[in-house]
């Protein structure tokens, strides 16, 4: 989830111009908006020549794994942040779509609504980023995607609808409050009260962080707010006193979110190393408990946002288990990218195992690993490039560059401390989505972009030129085999650009796209 160039900014801004103006609101409170249906995102008409659905609906086959602990200061697991829970597992106990007469609905926002969370009434709370405008915190109806309330967040107008420092990584707490890092160096606490958004608190971090953008914020198990900046600063904020303390990582940058566990551990990955932090000095100061350098390779590969791991740390197993639990990331090694698993306890980062994945020189992951029990699912984002030339081609009817295919499930044997491939897929092209697993259905949900040749073989009679086409695709989590694939939309406005798949409590799947937000659900 990062920056779009000027051409895409112009494209999204043009889409935003189609929208009716939002109701004005004070900076501190956004009242409910007049009820109106959401406008649909316009697509490439050539997509009508493509089959809307392939495969078959399935009967759910639940997967039984130990539950992730519920964080006391976050919304219910599956509802509180981009990766679903404090362990950043990217799994949901609830259902996702089964493929039964799938219906697609979209909201034209003119910018990407990436992180999707749900309040206690099941309504969507999201931050939408539109080029040229300040980010907006939105309260949306989960069924028709209509706006219930909207609050303009402080700070400069963004040049990108996916710039993380404007709120790409925020969380919803246990009291239905969105805790959002903003572009002016503050953390805003905004409550959902009935049908309105009300700013309850504001913490100014600028004196401590300078001009470095806040990438992510997440609470530890004691309620302290931990944050990281793109400039490699790790900090902790005590919301009770407003006290702020930071720890710098000289020469390192941070481009992803963090993970926290019930032992007080805070796990951060920079472009050089994986860290465990804990709070010291009466819980007010972040200190490095251990540091584990990894192979960052020799280059920033196409599809990556930095030369290093593109993953948010994924936690596995309880903190009172063997090794203090485990943590996993990918490295950036050449020629083979590897999945790395290590113990995460305070004693130190003892390595469990490592597993090379994908082809030599053709593997890159810019998204979090999915934890299914002790196993890990990794995707290949190698080759995803969004540049002015590619986007101009998209606006003129051309296609974006095809990415390297690949998904794999890595089996970890924690007794023998070995890794192996449970399955490996060489078919699906996953440019940039954060894939998710529903334990209730036994399906892995991802967002795919087939090549022109792959589309051509599936087209309806008479179609010739192939548009950009984006599909919600479900794979059997046990075997890796494709179960079904549903066309979501065609054209550049349906590019998810690093936004995740998010599963709602009714089994719907949501994906933020350049044009706004889409919902895919069983009929």
């Amino acid at each position: 989830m990062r920056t779009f160039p000027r051409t895409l900014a112009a494209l999204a801004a043009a889409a935003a111009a189609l929208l009716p103006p939002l109701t004005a609101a004070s900076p501190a409170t956004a009242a409910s908006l007049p009820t109106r249906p959401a406008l649909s995102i316009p697509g490439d008409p050539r997509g009508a020549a493509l089959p809307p659905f392939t495969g078959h609906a399935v009967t759910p086959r639940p997967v039984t794994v130990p539950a992730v602990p519920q964080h006391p200061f976050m919304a219910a697991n599956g509802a509180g942040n981009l990766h679903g829970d404090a362990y950043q597992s990217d799994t949901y106990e609830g259902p996702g779509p089964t493929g039964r007469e799938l219906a697609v609905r979209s909201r034209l926002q003119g910018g990407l609504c990436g992180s999707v969370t749900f309040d206690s009434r099941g309504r969507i709370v999201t931050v939408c980023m539109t080029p040229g405008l300040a980010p907006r915190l939105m309260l949306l109806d989960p069924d028709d995607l209509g706006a219930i309330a909207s609050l303009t967040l402080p700070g400069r107008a963004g040049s990108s609808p996916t710039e993380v420092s404007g709120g790409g990584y925020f969380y919803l707490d246990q009291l239905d409050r969105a805790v959002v890092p903003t572009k002016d160096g503050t953390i805003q606490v905004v409550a959902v009260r009935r049908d309105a958004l009300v700013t309850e608190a504001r913490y100014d971090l600028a004196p401590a962080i300078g001009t470095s953008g806040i990438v992510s914020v997440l609470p530890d198990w004691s309620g302290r707010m931990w944050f990281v900046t793109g400039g490699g600063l790790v900090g902790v904020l005590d919301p009770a006193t407003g006290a702020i303390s930071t720890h710098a990582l000289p020469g390192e940058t941070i481009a992803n979110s963090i993970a926290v566990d019930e032992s007080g551990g805070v796990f951060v990955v920079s472009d050089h190393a994986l860290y465990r932090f804990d709070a010291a000095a009466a819980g007010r100061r972040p200190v490095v408990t251990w540091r584990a350098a990894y192979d960052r390779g020799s280059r920033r590969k196409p599809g990556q946002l930095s030369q290093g791991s593109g993953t948010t740390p994924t936690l596995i197993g309880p903190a009172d288990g063997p090794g203090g639990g485990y943590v996993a990331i990918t490295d950036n090694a050449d020629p083979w990218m590897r999945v790395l698993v290590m113990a995460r306890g305070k004693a130190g980062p003892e390595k469990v195992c490592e597993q090379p994945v994908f082809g030599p020189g053709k593997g890159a992951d810019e998204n979090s690993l999915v934890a299914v029990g002790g196993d890990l699912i990794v995707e290949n984002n190698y080759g995803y490039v969004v540049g002015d030339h590619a986007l101009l081609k998209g606006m003129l009817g051309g296609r974006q560059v095809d990415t390297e295919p690949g998904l794999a499930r890595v089996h970890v044997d924690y007794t023998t401390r070995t890794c192996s491939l449970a399955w490996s897929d060489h078919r699906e092209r996953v440019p940039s989505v954060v894939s998710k697993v529903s334990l209730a259905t036994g399906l892995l949900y991802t967002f795919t972009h087939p090549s022109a040749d792959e589309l051509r073989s599936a087209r309806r009679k008479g179609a010739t030129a192939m548009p950009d086409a984006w599909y919600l695709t479900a794979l059997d989590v046990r075997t890796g085999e494709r179960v079904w694939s549903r066309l979501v939309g065609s054209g550049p406005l349906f590019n998810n650009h690093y936004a995740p798949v998010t599963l709602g409590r009714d089994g719907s799947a949501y994906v933020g796209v350049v044009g706004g937000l889409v919902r895919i659900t069983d009929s």
Side-chain angles (χ1 to χ4, degrees):
M1 295 173 54
R2 301 302 184 274
T3 302
F4 273 124
R6 290 186 298 275
T7 302
L8 187 49
L11 177 62
L18 300 174
L19 294 167
L22 289 168
T23 300
S26 72
T29 304
S32 58
L33 299 172
T35 301
R36 64 171 182 265
L39 296 178
S40 298
I41 299 171
D44 189 325
R46 294 174 299 168
L50 300 171
F53 181 83
T54 58
H56 56 87
V58 296
T59 300
R61 295 179 60 206
V63 177
T64 302
V65 300
V68 173
Q70 174 60 53
H71 195 299
F73 293 96
M74 292 179 66
N77 284 350
N81 74 340
L82 187 152
H83 295 293
D85 50 55
Y87 275 25
Q88 312 290 41
S89 73
D90 290 300
T91 59
Y92 293 79
E93 293 186 356
T98 64
R100 188 184 68 253
E101 299 179 8
L102 290 170
V104 177
R105 181 186 292 271
S106 64
R107 173 184 176 80
L108 177 63
Q109 183 69 31
L112 190 146
C113 305
S115 295
V116 173
T117 65
F118 302 94
D119 72 2
S120 55
R121 292 169 58 183
R123 301 175 300 179
I124 294 172
V125 182
T126 182
V127 172
C128 299
M129 300 186 181
T130 302
L133 301 174
R136 282 184 174 272
L137 183 67
M138 306 286 295
L139 180 64
L140 304 178
D141 185 290
D143 297 322
D144 64 15
L145 304 182
I148 300 169
S150 174
L151 178 68
T152 300
L153 296 169
R156 60 180 173 80
S159 60
S160 160
T162 53
E163 187 178 342
V164 169
S165 61
Y169 287 117
F170 75 96
Y171 73 90
L172 197 69
D173 74 6
Q174 80 283 11
L175 300 176
D176 278 350
R177 298 181 302 184
V179 181
V180 188
T182 63
K183 289 179 177 293
D184 67 345
T186 65
I187 292 176
Q188 305 282 321
V189 180
V190 182
V192 180
R193 293 184 185 170
R194 296 187 179 181
D195 292 340
L197 300 170
V198 181
T199 301
E200 287 194 348
R202 177 181 181 273
Y203 302 98
D204 186 3
L205 273 58
I209 67 174
T211 59
S212 185
I214 309 169
V215 172
S216 180
V217 59
L218 211 62
D220 65 18
W221 242 256
S222 297
R224 295 176 291 253
M225 297 177 186
W226 288 71
F227 60 89
V228 293
T229 74
L233 205 64
V234 179
V236 60
L237 162 69
D238 184 345
T241 64
I244 302 168
S245 183
T246 61
H247 181 99
L249 306 178
E252 302 181 24
T253 63
I254 299 171
N256 293 281
S257 190
I258 61 180
V260 296
D261 76 5
E262 64 274 30
S263 72
V266 177
F267 301 88
V268 178
V269 64
S270 76
D271 61 346
H272 285 72
L274 171 66
Y275 292 84
R276 174 181 172 131
F277 280 83
D278 286 274
R284 295 181 179 178
R285 183 168 57 87
V287 296
V288 175
T289 304
W290 51 254
R291 178 184 190 270
Y294 60 83
D295 188 343
R296 65 193 298 262
S298 58
R299 60 184 175 127
R300 174 182 168 182
K301 300 170 187 172
Q304 291 184 309
L305 302 166
S306 64
Q307 185 189 324
S309 173
T311 57
T312 292
T314 298
L315 308 187
I316 306 157
D320 59 1
Y326 303 95
V327 57
I329 61 170
T330 63
D331 65 12
N332 190 40
D334 287 313
W336 297 89
M337 182 182 75
R338 298 170 296 182
V339 172
L340 309 177
V341 184
M342 59 193 71
R344 71 173 192 263
K346 291 184 178 181
E350 181 182 356
K351 187 172 76 171
V352 175
C353 61
E354 59 185 46
Q355 176 63 47
V357 290
F358 311 128
K362 296 291 186 178
D365 190 0
E366 194 55 44
N367 285 301
S368 179
L369 300 166
V370 184
V372 183
D375 286 4
L376 298 155
I377 295 175
V378 57
E379 67 184 48
N380 193 2
N381 306 133
Y382 189 96
Y384 178 62
V385 178
V386 177
D388 282 353
H389 178 65
L391 293 167
L392 181 59
K393 282 176 58 181
M395 287 188 288
L396 297 176
R399 286 179 47 82
Q400 295 196 39
V401 176
D402 294 325
T403 59
E404 290 293 321
L407 286 156
R409 176 169 174 165
V410 176
H411 173 64
V412 184
D413 188 319
Y414 294 89
T415 301
T416 62
R417 294 183 172 265
T418 57
C419 289
S420 60
L421 286 178
W423 53 257
S424 185
D425 170 87
H426 303 285
R427 175 186 184 185
E428 308 298 345
R429 301 178 191 273
V430 185
S432 68
V433 80
V434 185
S435 302
K436 300 294 179 70
V437 163
S438 163
L439 300 174
T441 62
L443 296 178
L444 166 71
Y445 300 93
T446 190
F447 207 60
T448 57
H449 177 254
S451 70
D453 287 342
E454 290 162 346
L455 290 176
R456 196 169 287 114
S457 66
R459 75 187 186 280
R460 293 174 177 171
K461 187 177 181 179
T464 53
M466 294 296 105
D468 274 321
W470 302 88
Y471 291 78
L472 181 71
T473 299
L475 281 67
D476 187 317
V477 75
R478 294 174 172 87
T479 66
E481 295 181 358
R482 183 198 289 183
V483 177
W484 52 257
S485 192
R486 174 62 159 93
L487 178 64
V488 173
S490 299
L493 291 181
F494 287 94
N495 182 348
N496 71 284
H497 194 65
Y498 295 107
V501 176
T502 304
L503 302 182
R505 64 185 184 186
D506 68 345
S508 297
Y510 300 87
V511 183
V513 295
V514 171
L517 183 67
V518 295
R519 175 185 186 237
I520 307 97
T521 189
D522 290 328
S523 296

